[in-house]
Amino acid sequence: GNSVTQMEGPVTLSEEAFLTINCTYTATGYPSLFWYVQYPGEGLQLLLKATKADDKGSNKGFEATYRKETTSFHLEKGSVQVSDSAVYFCALYSNTGNQFYFGTGTSLTVIP
Amino acid sequence: EAEVAQSPRYKITEKSQAVAFWCDPISGHATLYWYRQILGQGPELLVQFQDESVVDDSQLPKDRFSAERLKGVDSTLKIQPAELGDSAMYLCASTLLVTGSYNEQFFGPGTRLTVL
């Protein structure tokens, strides 16, 4: 079956620190992989995506590389800002059934 | 920019009452999803529509939840009667179905339900 496992939080970092949030997946076939971000009281927003192995998704300084050999899609940012404080969800899309599967989310708090 | 619309944004109700949530997906999006997101967890699929047809409702508690998308556009999710454990964020999302390809999923702002 399809599933996503991501690093549990909460994560607290100082501004300008390096961020890594781990995500691994189990999937049949060839899924697409995503990171979504959710700010308090809001819905999920797509942060970045990768649709095939070795693709690197990037946006707003965040990056993640689709690693088929390790079934991973870890999120990284070199220098976090207070405005990056949010909950981050790793997800996969399976075109078998046209469905998305989400991790449990990792809460990030960046302190000045 | 086109967005998924949901209403209401917040709903407080007493247990055993009926509640209904509305979602209007992005125009032209054939696939519509309702998710439930319990605080501190990821979204869990409740029901998936393809146009007006239900594709997957295996996780929908059918004794109290119902969903419809009569004309294949907007959708309503109903809970009757509401229970304390239904307190959660209800998210609607839509995608433009492209067979065999990746489909970006767009989320609405959600409806925060509190059952007292």
Side-chain angles (χ1 to χ4, degrees):
Chain A
N2 298 304
S3 67
V4 174
T5 302
Q6 66 180 99
M7 186 173 99
E8 290 190 15
V11 174
T12 302
L13 294 173
S14 297
E15 208 166 18
E16 299 184 3
F18 184 85
L19 168 72
T20 300
I21 301 178
N22 290 339
C23 172
T24 58
Y25 68 90
T26 302
T28 53
Y30 302 95
S32 299
L33 301 173
F34 308 87
W35 278 99
Y36 283 85
V37 59
Q38 186 176 35
Y39 298 100
E42 297 185 12
L44 276 67
Q45 302 174 27
L46 180 65
L47 179 60
L48 55 84
K49 65 181 186 289
T51 58
K52 61 183 188 299
D54 299 325
D55 270 2
K56 177 186 282 189
S58 61
N59 185 27
K60 300 180 181 179
F62 291 89
E63 293 183 340
T65 302
Y66 188 161
R67 302 283 189 201
K68 192 168 185 293
E69 64 275 13
T70 55
T71 61
S72 65
F73 192 56
H74 304 320
L75 181 68
E76 296 182 337
K77 186 175 185 182
S79 176
V80 293
Q81 305 301 312
V82 172
S83 57
D84 294 328
S85 298
V87 180
Y88 293 81
F89 292 92
C90 185
L92 74 82
Y93 168 76
S94 167
N95 56 13
T96 305
N98 190 25
Q99 290 193 355
F100 291 79
Y101 300 84
F102 290 86
T104 54
T106 302
S107 174
L108 170 66
T109 301
V110 180
I111 55 177
Chain B
E1 182 175 301
E3 296 181 341
V4 177
Q6 287 188 251
S7 67
R9 291 293 308 275
Y10 304 93
K11 179 70 178 178
I12 300 174
T13 190
E14 294 184 345
K15 64 179 183 179
S16 79
Q17 296 299 302
V19 292
F21 313 131
W22 176 80
C23 172
D24 192 12
I26 293 173
S27 178
H29 279 198
T31 309
L32 184 148
Y33 309 80
W34 282 103
Y35 292 91
R36 177 170 59 187
Q37 185 183 16
I38 295 169
L39 191 64
Q41 298 183 20
E44 296 178 310
L45 181 68
L46 290 175
V47 62
Q48 176 185 349
F49 288 93
Q50 183 62 38
D51 299 310
E52 67 276 9
S53 300
V54 172
V55 173
D56 185 349
D57 64 356
S58 58
Q59 300 303 310
L60 189 71
K62 298 182 189 61
D63 56 335
R64 296 185 301 107
F65 286 65
S66 64
E68 60 183 17
R69 193 184 184 199
L70 293 177
K71 297 182 179 178
V73 182
D74 58 337
S75 175
T76 302
L77 178 69
K78 297 179 181 177
I79 308 175
Q80 184 173 16
E83 295 181 353
L84 295 177
D86 296 331
S87 294
M89 175 81 88
Y90 290 83
L91 295 167
C92 179
S94 68
T95 64
L96 175 67
L97 179 63
V98 178
T99 304
S101 180
Y102 144 74
N103 289 277
E104 181 169 342
Q105 191 172 59
F106 295 85
F107 282 85
T111 296
R112 168 72 66 189
L113 173 66
T114 302
V115 182
L116 302 176

